[in-house]
Amino acid sequence: MQPFDHTPHYVTNLADGTVKQINPFSGTEVWTVPGRGNRPLGIETADPRRLDESAKGAYCAFCEKRYVETPPEKSRVVRRGDGSFETLYRLPAERLFDTVAEFRRIPNLFEILSYDYWHKNYGYELPARVAERRQDYLASQAGLAHVLSVIDMKLRASGRSQEQIDALSVEEKVAAASGFFGGSHDVVVARRHFLDGATHEDQVASSGTLTPDEHAEFIRYTVECTRALYDLNRYARYVAVFQNWLKPAGASFDHLHKQLVAIDERGVQHETTLERLRRNPNIFNEGAANYASYKNLVIAENDHALMFAGFGHRYPTIEVYSKSEHSDPWDQSPDEIRAMSDLLHAAHAATGSSVPCNEEWHYRPIDVDLAMPWRVMVKWRVSTLAGFEGATRVYVNTIGPEGVRDRVVDKLFRLRDEGLISANMRIAFEAECRPNPLRYNRVAR
Ligand SMILES: [Zn+2]
């Protein structure tokens, strides 16, 4: 360390190639040890099976021929004839198959926090408009049959015998359905399970295989759905938004979806971050954006967002930051949200469909008054050394920030040349990397 240098050292490169990292917000300590990160990241399927053509559209419960196997949807996005997108709300059961949804917002069948959690702990009741929707849906024969069959499925999956289920009255079963209408754990499901024209089962459709326009709609719609959960449940202090891609990353289906979970806390990570933010309102520039730029970790940039290789994370991580002055994603302009989508889409495309990963959204909890930027992390779920970590609380990561940057930058140039990601971004040395690119605290300063 040089004298008179007061910049914290979040990333330290040692002579032997080891990279020691400290997360600027959580204090998490991570080491990257040389020689461990050169293997391919993805799950290689040596001999992928041919797809069963007769199962097309019905590979899993999120597929388009199986809409009645999930609880009644809250809304869906469809394509109009001219290619633009339109959101349809509160479709009755009779109309579920009239259109094919590009994206659907459905209640999670197995909520992390159930309707009962909010009802019994807070006195939460269904808002009038939701109670009305529930009544309308159940008033139709197809709607009632749909709800009863999903409840049967849920009870069976929870270990009830068929006799126990049959012993319940229709009223008792319907009473259990409030969570379908007023629940605060939603899933946003994309249309495709496999790529259009796929012949083998390793050709799954991921975030990165959407077109930039489809991905932009996915993100815009997810922002809308996040906002809708706060509107639905005033006891929610935070809506966690995340995407688990492939089973090693925690996904139960290899069918692209995001989850939105309302919780009654801000989460430990936010509390730690908020403490640091109170001490230094510019910490997201100093600790993240500027630091990444001084260390040449910037991967790409556009007018309203910045992507860099993250440091101090348990898993190799790509970080995408919004430069908007609006902390709440739903207050951002369509161009600002699109810019976030374009870089996030590029991050997924460069990562590749065969790499298990988590996408985590971080943004200002609803009851916080401090400004903070909307940011999204893509974490590659490649293996780590669990025993060492348990003993030392130091995490060993297989690919350092520069390794992440090099892998991604290299792919981005090729993807942009092939027209598979937005052309509207500046990659690596093309980026301007001006200090303080994040404008979230512009008003405060
Ligand atoms: Zn599916």
Side-chain angles (χ1 to χ4, degrees):
M1 259 176 241
Q2 302 108 14
F4 310 114
D5 180 358
H6 295 289
T7 309
H9 290 265
Y10 300 123
V11 179
T12 307
N13 294 72
L14 303 186
D16 75 314
T18 300
V19 187
K20 292 192 172 180
Q21 305 151 59
I22 304 275
N23 187 290
F25 305 104
S26 64
T28 301
E29 190 173 347
V30 180
W31 296 353
T32 306
V33 182
R36 302 190 63 91
N38 294 326
R39 63 200 175 80
L41 298 177
I43 302 168
E44 299 299 321
T45 318
D47 192 14
R49 276 185 303 179
R50 261 198 96 79
L51 284 176
D52 175 6
E53 273 296 306
S54 65
K56 206 169 174 215
Y59 297 109
C60 80
F62 287 168
C63 281
E64 68 199 48
K65 287 184 181 163
R66 294 171 66 173
Y67 288 158
V68 291
E69 291 179 35
T70 47
E73 71 185 37
K74 296 182 177 181
S75 60
R76 71 169 58 177
V77 172
V78 298
R79 263 196 202 268
R80 293 201 192 94
D82 65 357
S84 63
F85 295 102
E86 180 183 6
T87 310
L88 308 177
Y89 299 90
R90 301 174 161 209
L91 282 182
E94 291 80 2
R95 289 184 47 206
L96 287 181
F97 293 95
D98 289 0
T99 52
V100 174
E102 294 297 321
F103 304 100
R104 306 169 75 210
R105 175 186 173 206
I106 53 176
N108 192 314
L109 192 52
F110 299 98
E111 317 101 311
I112 291 177
L113 298 184
S114 64
Y115 169 80
D116 260 10
Y117 178 90
W118 298 101
H119 180 65
K120 291 185 175 148
N121 295 329
Y122 290 91
Y124 172 73
E125 298 285 351
L126 293 188
R129 64 194 157 84
V130 178
E132 191 185 305
R133 155 75 170 158
R134 176 178 181 271
Q135 201 178 354
D136 289 350
Y137 202 86
L138 294 169
S140 98
Q141 213 166 26
L144 180 64
H146 173 199
V147 168
L148 290 177
S149 85
V150 176
I151 286 180
D152 277 13
M153 210 182 327
K154 180 171 177 164
L155 293 172
R156 271 198 304 276
S158 325
R160 304 267 199 113
S161 70
Q162 195 58 51
E163 293 76 57
Q164 287 173 313
I165 296 168
D166 292 343
L168 294 172
S169 67
V170 168
E171 288 72 29
E172 285 170 313
K173 286 184 185 177
V174 164
S178 281
F180 292 170
F181 296 93
S184 310
H185 182 168
D186 289 344
V187 185
V188 175
V189 181
R191 171 170 60 84
R192 295 181 193 87
H193 190 127
F194 294 103
L195 299 172
D196 295 337
T199 52
H200 288 81
E201 64 178 11
D202 57 339
Q203 292 167 296
V204 279
S206 69
S207 269
T209 65
L210 296 173
T211 66
D213 282 351
E214 287 170 339
H215 192 269
E217 183 60 17
F218 194 16
I219 298 303
R220 186 210 62 77
Y221 183 55
T222 302
V223 168
E224 176 195 309
C225 295
T226 306
R227 175 70 210 254
L229 277 183
Y230 286 111
D231 289 344
L232 178 76
N233 182 349
R234 72 179 177 87
Y235 302 103
R237 295 182 69 198
Y238 193 61
V239 174
V241 180
F242 56 96
Q243 173 174 299
N244 301 334
W245 175 246
L246 303 180
K247 291 191 178 71
S252 31
F253 295 114
D254 291 351
H255 187 136
L256 181 61
H257 64 281
K258 295 191 199 297
Q259 298 190 54
L260 290 71
V261 187
I263 54 176
D264 53 354
E265 294 183 20
R266 294 164 178 168
V268 178
Q269 208 172 355
H270 263 124
E271 296 295 356
T272 317
T273 303
L274 284 168
E275 241 169 71
R276 292 176 188 223
L277 181 62
R278 273 199 188 92
R279 288 202 298 268
N280 178 1
N282 199 35
I283 191 164
F284 285 100
N285 275 312
E286 290 176 22
N290 296 354
Y291 194 79
S293 135
Y294 299 147
K295 286 280 177 182
N296 293 317
L297 295 175
V298 170
I299 294 170
E301 183 184 34
N302 58 26
D303 288 353
H304 303 292
L306 177 74
M307 162 159 55
F308 57 87
F311 38 90
H313 295 288
R314 230 183 129 161
Y315 299 102
T317 299
I318 306 171
E319 307 201 18
V320 180
Y321 269 71
S322 168
K323 295 183 196 168
S324 170
E325 26 185 292
H326 296 286
S327 294
D328 300 329
W330 46 89
D331 282 345
Q332 298 192 0
S333 72
D335 282 352
E336 287 173 327
I337 295 176
R338 171 78 199 213
M340 276 295 274
S341 170
D342 281 346
L343 292 192
L344 185 57
H345 173 252
H348 281 294
T351 298
S353 301
S354 67
V355 178
C357 61
N358 299 115
E359 175 187 302
E360 302 169 1
W361 290 26
H362 300 265
Y363 62 96
R364 180 169 70 177
I366 199 94
D367 59 356
V368 166
D369 61 336
L370 297 170
M372 65 162 72
W374 173 28
R375 55 221 186 266
V376 180
M377 322 275 148
V378 175
K379 299 186 172 173
W380 297 344
R381 295 295 301 270
V382 288
S383 65
T384 53
L385 303 175
F388 178 74
E389 288 158 359
T392 59
R393 304 283 283 174
V394 171
Y395 295 102
V396 175
N397 186 328
T398 50
I399 305 167
E402 292 176 2
V404 170
R405 176 201 61 198
D406 292 345
R407 278 173 190 252
V408 175
V409 163
D410 183 49
K411 292 231 178 86
L412 287 188
F413 281 115
R414 278 188 280 148
L415 288 162
R416 192 176 60 180
D417 287 346
E418 290 166 24
L420 296 173
I421 57 173
S422 165
N424 196 14
M425 70 180 73
R426 302 178 285 278
I427 302 171
F429 56 83
E430 299 168 352
E432 283 182 43
C433 295
R434 307 302 303 167
N436 293 336
L438 312 178
R439 297 184 290 259
Y440 67 100
N441 62 347
R442 180 163 281 193
V443 181
R445 278 189 300 140

